[in-house]
Amino acid sequence: MADSSFDIVSKVDHQEAENALNQARKEVEQRYDFKGTGASIEWSGESVLIKAGTEERAKAVLDVFQSKLIKRGISLKSLESGDPFASGKEFRIVSTLKDGISSENAKKIGKIIRDEGPKGVKSQIQGDELRVQSKSRDDLQAVIALLEGSDLDIDLQFINYR
C-alpha cells in the first residue's frame, strides 16, 4: 500500500479579502463617528493602506477591517499590520496579507512533527508548503491535531489529504 499524505499550506482567499475590504470601506464611509475625519481604507498594490486624521481613528478603521476579515473566515494570523505613522497631516497604517509558509516557519513545523509527532511520519518542504507522509492515516490525523493545537503565528490549512 502506498503512503498516505497531505499538504500544509497557508493561503488567503483574495476574493474574500477584497470583499472584506469593500465592506469595511462602506462602513467607514457611512458611520457617523468617521464623518469628517478623512478616514479611508484601500488597496495599495499588494498591501492595504489605512488613512485617518488621528492615530485613534486609524486604529478604529483597522479594527473595522479586522472584524470584516473574521466574518469572511480569514484568520487574523494572516494579516500583518504595522504601527500608525504620521504622513503630513494624517496617520497611516500599512497592512499586508501573508500568503505561503516562510522557510523558517516550515522548518519550525517540520521540527514539531519530528519531535512530538508519531514515529514514521515524514515531512518535506516544497516551496511555500509542506508535504507530510506516513503509512498510517491515523498518524496523519494525529499530526493535524498536533499542529492545530500548537501556537504558531501563521494560519494553516490542510489540503490534498489522501
Side-chain angles (χ1 to χ4, degrees), residues 14 42-49 79 94-99:
H14 288 286
E42 61 196 28
W43 286 108
S44 173
E46 285 295 306
S47 57
V48 176
L49 180 63
L79 180 71
V94 177
S95 301
T96 55
L97 292 167
K98 295 186 283 187
D99 237 354

Side-chain angles (χ1 to χ4, degrees), residues 59-112:
K59 287 181 180 176
V61 173
L62 177 63
D63 191 45
V64 169
F65 182 51
Q66 288 174 339
S67 70
K68 298 301 179 190
L69 286 174
I70 291 171
K71 283 184 183 174
R72 290 270 174 194
I74 297 174
S75 171
L76 291 183
K77 290 181 179 179
S78 50
L79 180 71
E80 201 171 78
S81 298
D83 291 326
F85 62 93
S87 174
K89 293 183 178 178
E90 65 187 7
F91 283 85
R92 295 180 178 202
I93 299 175
V94 177
S95 301
T96 55
L97 292 167
K98 295 186 283 187
D99 237 354
I101 301 174
S102 65
S103 61
E104 63 263 4
N105 279 330
K107 289 175 186 172
K108 195 183 304 181
I109 292 169
K111 183 170 177 17
I112 289 172

